[in-house]
């Protein structure tokens, strides 16, 4: 072996070996390995990498013997992997800053959903409906973490993201990225729909006055060992990591402030809420101190938010606290007081408080206003630019191009102002040497750039110039000026030609791209693209913004256009038009679509039809958001165009599903049932599922008045919806020969998926159509074998009463759909008593009795003019009253139970007597005796209190018993009064509808010598008056 080889081998053998990376499955084999690994100073893999690996393995789909992809099984291995991911997150103390920075949205969504699951948050229950104060601390903290992440993710998604440069095309990588992008967009869509609920949850959390606990590795182990405990009531509820109330509120206030600030772009009034939250965050940080372990707030960002809110809140009181320079500048800009802006900038040249970027943004804003035709701002632009230039010089930066361009044609006023700014921007008594040198060099360069000696003399004779430059420097400058040749100056003009040099191409392209992103003027967009293509032909300018999205069915046709300028223009016009339509800026959307239509008509009949379809959809949106909301019918031309679209049979035309959806919903909303029932072409029913669904709905409505036997269309509609809600079971034969159920998946035999059906229904507004669909899903929900409490609905009798194969229906999905539909229907009309009864029945079926009673009472209120009239008997049926009785009973309102028993067609004495025997009642008890009119119940009350020795209460019951016997009309009025008394607290939100003062006239009685009581004057008062007398 040579000496060189021996040295090489010795060096290799002496080099320390890199320890092998720990694989994810090793943590499954050794329970204690995870904690040992995380205690390392630099663990490999890192904690966030472990989370990704664990959740990736737990959610990996499997493949059966038929090569069919199956969802991940719910087995012990996957449950342990999810638990390990949660333990790693607990090791990171659930720091959302770390988790959001390192984990993608789908992974973090999966992680937090697992946290909700293990914290015993009931699935399918909206967080906003849960009382945070009554939940275990760890459960409340899990809900809080999820909703904080939800609004933080929404805020983060609103920030522009620069697209990464694509590398070499790899199909597998591109598919994976596309799948992750689509999954992220779907999650964001759901989070944005639930944003208002998340904000309400966080607002409710601010009212909590107790410390919370977040899960640690130990508490997660406890939960894994105690799977049978309900609602998280285990040792782990209070054995986790303690989060003080102030720390929790500080984080929540900051996140809410960011959410409100983001919403302020569409609703400026929300900035006031954002400002309130941010300033509350600052107060809490001052209380907590900067050493808090669990409260991580970016204080610089918070300060920026506070300054921005001070500027944006128009109602801000300038006397309440000292205004910051930011606020002063923005107040001056809003009021048009530009001279004060210049004054502030000159003063800032001494203090350097305002960032240079902010000052430049003010100058850009003024430039834009000047370019829009406000010539008065030209002088202001120069002065602000001069102030900024002096600030740049003092800090050692180069002179900006804008200043050179504005100073191309100097005059006496410009030079006077420049010298004034320079004089006021430097303190000659306290200045540093570097500032003196920078200012002197600037004045010398200005003199050398001037051709008119008169202007040079103005500068050289100024006091500041004499102070900063020594005698030798001034003489040298004068000699240089004298040596300049007039002939050269006239011919070459070095100064002017130098400043006439344009900015670099990359700078101009960037500026034009910025204008392209902001502009919604079709003519301006075209001009910008022409300029950009004149500078470079290598770029694809339709990729400038990641917010420009065109449906995939269109993008293939558009990107197939050979001319790059036309391709970019068509793509951008369509993308901007679709975006404007989404944000309901219909006027700009129409301009963009019209320009795009005019452009494509010249060369592509296919794209022309695409644009006509999109303009039809835009006109539908415009009408529905405008005159359609007031009930005005659409013009006949629009209805004809909708029919034309539905009947269109042009081949090879790319069609968007949402247009067919909106057209059918449009026809149903405006009661075009005759067309959908009789005139729609047969080929449409076969090829378009939405037309098929609309035809069945229209025909069902048409057959409603007829006998039950003739309602064949209702049966067809029932079968279609049942098939949509069906699932297909897949089985696998094990090694022992037994067949086991693997997974139930949504059936593909239906005409559409359940999510598509739900999306379509949420476009409907016609009450009868919504009632029909609601009754269908309610009936389907009630068909379930294990159902205990049926839900009632209008028109429920038209549907079949059974299903041949109950196991094929996904009843959990049906229950969720019923809740979603009722919530949507109530958003359309919150005063529909039938929908309110359905909502109440849903709460009753899920044992939420307080909420159920609230909606039962609300249903009675809306159909009786707030109980000024009798509630119709078809609203308060015996079943409804019995459910109200059960609600009151389970809420320990036993006296109310007895009163409600009187409203039944046959009074339920057994229940009334049993409830009156209860002594632990949570209602007003004997204060309600005035509203019991049944003599038997009153006599039983008298006997009961006599037996207990309750003399006062017995006397109250006896005094009510001694009232005169009412007739039928009086009894009905008395029942009405009793209902008001009973519902006093439940209907407190409606108090604003009652008069402020109502006189109550008391009945007066006298007793004759024979003991028979005669009424002198009985005048039952208005129900409102009784309520106000409580």
């Amino acid at each position: 072996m040579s000496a060189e080889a021996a040295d090489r081998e010795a060096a290799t053998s002496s080099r320390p070996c890199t320890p092998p990376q720990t694989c994810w499955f090793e943590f499954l084999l050794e329970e204690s390995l995870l904690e040992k690994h995380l205690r390392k100073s630099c663990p490999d893999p890192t904690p966030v990498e472990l989370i990704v690996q664990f959740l990736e393995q737990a959610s990996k789909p499997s493949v059966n013997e038929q090569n069919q992809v199956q969802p991940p099984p719910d087995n012990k291995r996957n449950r342990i992997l999810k638990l390990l991911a949660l333990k790693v997150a607990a090791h990171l103390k659930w720091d959302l800053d770390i988790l959001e920075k390192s984990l993608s949205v789908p992974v973090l969504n999966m992680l937090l959903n697992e946290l909700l699951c293990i914290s015993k948050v009931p699935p399918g229950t909206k967080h906003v409906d849960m009382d945070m104060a009554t939940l275990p601390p760890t459960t409340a903290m899990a809900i809080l973490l999820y909703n904080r992440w939800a609004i933080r993710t929404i805020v983060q998604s609103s920030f522009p993201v620069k697209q990464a440069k694509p590398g070499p095309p790899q199909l597998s990588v591109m598919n994976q990225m596309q799948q992750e992008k689509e999954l992220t967009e779907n999650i964001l869509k759901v989070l944005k729909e639930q944003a208002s609920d998340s904000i309400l949850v966080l607002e409710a959390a601010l009212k909590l006055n107790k410390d919370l606990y977040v899960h640690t590795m130990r508490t997660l182990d406890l939960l894994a060992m105690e799977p049978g405990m309900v609602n998280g009531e285990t040792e782990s509820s209070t054995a986790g990591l303690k989060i003080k109330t102030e720390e929790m509120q500080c984080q929540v206030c900051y996140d809410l402030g960011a959410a409100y600030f983001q919403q302020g772009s569409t609703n400026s009034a929300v900035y006031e809420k954002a400002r309130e939250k941010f300033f509350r965050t600052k107060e809490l940080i001052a209380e907590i101190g900067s050493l808090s372990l669990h409260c991580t707030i970016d204080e610089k960002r918070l300060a920026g938010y506070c300054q921005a809110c001070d500027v944006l809140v128009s109602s801000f009181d300038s006397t309440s606290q000292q205004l910051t320079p930011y606020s002063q500048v923005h107040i001056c800009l809003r009021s048009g007081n530009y001279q004060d802006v210049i004054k502030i900038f000159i003063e800032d040249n001494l203090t350097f408080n305002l960032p240079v970027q902010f000052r430049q943004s003010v100058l850009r804003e003024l430039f834009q206003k000047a370019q829009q035709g406000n010539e008065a701002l030209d002088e202001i632009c120069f002065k602000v630019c001069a102030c900024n230039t002096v600030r740049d010089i003092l800090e050692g930066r180069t002179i900006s191009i804008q200043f050179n361009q504005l100073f191309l044609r100097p005059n006496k006023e410009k030079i006077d102002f420049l010298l004034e700014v320079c004089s006021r921007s430097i303190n000659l008594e306290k200045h540093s040497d570097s500032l003196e040198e920078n200012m002197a060099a600037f004045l010398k360069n200005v003199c050398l750039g001037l051709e008119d000696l008169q202007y040079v003399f103005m500068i050289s004779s100024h006091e500041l110039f004499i102070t900063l430059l020594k005698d030798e420097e001034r003489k040298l400058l004068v000699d240089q000026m004298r040596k300049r040749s007039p002939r050269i100056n006239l011919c070459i003009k070095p100064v002017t030609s130098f400043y006439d040099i344009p900015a670099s191409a990359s700078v101009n392209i960037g500026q034009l791209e910025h204008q392209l992103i902001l502009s919604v003027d079709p003519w301006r967009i075209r001009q910008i693209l022409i300029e950009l293509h004149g500078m470079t032909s290598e770029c694809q300018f339709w990729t400038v913004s990641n917010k420009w999205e065109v449906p995939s069915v269109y993008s293939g046709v558009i990107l197939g256009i050979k001319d790059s300028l036309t391709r970019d223009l068509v793509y951008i016009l369509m993308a901007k038009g679709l975006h404007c339509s989404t944000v309901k800026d219909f006027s700009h959307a129409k301009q963009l679509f019209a320009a795009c239509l005019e452009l494509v008509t010249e060369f592509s009949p296919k794209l022309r039809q695409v644009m006509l379809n999109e303009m039809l959809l835009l006109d539908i949106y415009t009408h529905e958001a405008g005159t359609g909301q007031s009930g005005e019918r659409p013009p006949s031309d629009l209805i004809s165009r909708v029919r034309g679209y539905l009947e269109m049979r042009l081949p090879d035309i790319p069609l968007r599903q949402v247009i067919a959806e909106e057209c059918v919903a449009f026809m149903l909303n405006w009661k075009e049932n005759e067309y959908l029932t009789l005139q729609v072409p047969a080929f449409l029913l076969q090829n378009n599922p939405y037309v098929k669904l609309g035809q069945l709905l229209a025909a069902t409505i048409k057959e409603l008045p007829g006998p039950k036997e003739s309602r064949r269309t209702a049966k067809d509609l029932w079968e279609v919806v049942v098939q949509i809600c069906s699932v297909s079971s897949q089985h696998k034969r094990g090694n022992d020969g037994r067949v086991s159920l693997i997974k139930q998946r949504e059936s593909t035999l239906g005409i559409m998926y359940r999510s598509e059906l739900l999306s379509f229904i949420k476009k409907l507004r016609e009450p009868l159509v919504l009632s029909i669909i609601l009754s269908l899903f309610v009936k389907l929900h009630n068909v379930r074998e294990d159902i205990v409490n049926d839900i009632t609905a209008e028109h429920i009798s038209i549907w079949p009463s059974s299903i041949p194969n109950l196991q094929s229906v996904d009843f959990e999905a049906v229950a969720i759909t019923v809740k979603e539909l009722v919530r949507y229907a109530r958003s359309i009309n919150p005063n529909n008593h039938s929908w309110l009864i359905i909502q109440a029945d849903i709460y009753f079926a899920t044992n939420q009795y307080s909420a159920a009673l609230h909606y039962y009472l609300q249903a009675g209120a809306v159909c009786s003019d707030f109980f000024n009239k009798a509630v119709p008997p078809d609203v308060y049926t015996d079943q409804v009253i019995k459910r109200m009785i059960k609600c009151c009973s389970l809420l320990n309102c036993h006296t109310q139970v007895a009163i409600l028993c009187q409203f039944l067609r046959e009074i339920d004495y057994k229940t009334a007597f049993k409830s009156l025997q209860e002594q632990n009642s949570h209602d007003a008890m004997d204060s309600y005796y005035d509203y019991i009119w049944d003599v038997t119940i009153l006599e039983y009350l008298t006997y009961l209190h006599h037996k207990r020795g309750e003399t006062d209460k017995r006397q109250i019951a006896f005094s009510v018993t001694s009232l005169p016997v009412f007739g039928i009309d009086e009894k009905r009025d008395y029942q009405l009064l009793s209902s008001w008394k009973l519902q006093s607290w439940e209907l407190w939100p409606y108090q604003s509808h009652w008069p402020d003062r109502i006189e109550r006239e008391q009945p007066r009685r006298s007793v004759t010598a024979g003991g028979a009581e005669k009424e002198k004057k009985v005048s039952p008062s208005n129900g409102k008056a009784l309520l106000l007398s409580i």
Side-chain angles (χ1 to χ4, degrees), residues 8 119 142 146 193 378 494 496 564 626 655 704 824 853 896 982:
R8 191 184 308 116
S119 300
Y146 178 84
E193 290 174 354
D378 290 341
T496 305
S564 58
L655 301 175
L704 271 183
Y824 170 71
L853 185 59
Q896 296 182 16
L982 175 65

Side-chain angles (χ1 to χ4, degrees), residues 195-381:
S196 58
D197 288 350
S198 294
I199 289 175
L200 290 176
V201 170
L202 296 183
E203 288 284 9
L206 294 178
K207 300 175 184 177
L208 294 178
N209 293 320
K210 65 177 183 179
D211 296 335
L212 298 181
Y213 293 82
V214 66
H215 280 303
T216 61
M217 299 177 75
R218 173 174 168 270
T219 58
L220 289 170
D221 284 332
L222 286 172
L223 281 177
M225 290 186 292
E226 301 175 8
M229 301 303 290
V230 180
N231 291 331
E233 294 291 348
T234 67
E235 179 195 354
S236 60
S237 299
T238 55
L241 188 63
K242 183 177 180 180
I243 308 295
K244 293 184 179 179
T245 308
E246 294 79 8
E247 293 177 329
M248 178 271 292
Q249 291 181 349
C250 186
Q251 290 281 176
V252 171
C253 279
Y254 180 75
D255 293 336
L256 279 173
Y260 287 140
F261 191 88
Q262 185 249 344
Q263 294 175 358
S265 59
T266 56
N267 182 7
S268 58
V270 183
Y271 283 127
E272 180 63 41
K273 292 184 180 179
R275 180 179 179 277
E276 177 188 343
K277 298 302 178 189
F278 285 133
F279 278 88
R280 177 57 181 158
T281 305
K282 291 180 70 174
E283 294 173 3
L284 289 169
I285 289 176
E287 293 177 15
I288 299 168
S290 58
L291 301 178
S292 173
L293 296 176
H294 312 299
C295 183
T296 55
I297 303 291
D298 186 347
E299 295 192 34
K300 289 184 178 179
R301 193 175 186 85
L302 175 62
Y305 271 130
C306 291
Q307 289 177 342
C309 289
D310 281 349
V311 170
L312 295 168
V313 175
S314 57
S315 60
F316 176 66
D317 185 5
S318 60
T319 63
S320 62
Q321 63 178 22
Q322 187 176 2
L323 286 173
T324 63
Y326 287 98
S327 306
Q328 294 175 2
V329 170
H330 279 284
I331 290 172
C332 293
L333 289 175
R334 281 203 300 264
S335 61
N337 191 358
Y338 301 115
Q339 296 299 330
D340 281 355
V341 174
I342 296 168
K343 181 180 177 182
I344 294 169
F345 276 18
I346 294 175
E347 293 173 354
D348 182 66
N349 285 348
L350 289 170
T351 59
F352 295 175
N353 287 331
L354 293 174
V356 175
Q357 295 81 1
F358 173 73
R359 296 173 60 128
Q360 291 173 348
S361 69
V362 172
L363 179 59
R364 281 195 298 270
E365 183 178 340
L366 293 172
F367 268 131
Q368 289 176 357
K369 291 182 179 179
Q371 290 171 359
Q372 291 171 0
N374 192 346
E375 297 180 358
L377 289 179
D378 290 341
E379 181 184 354
I380 300 297
C381 287

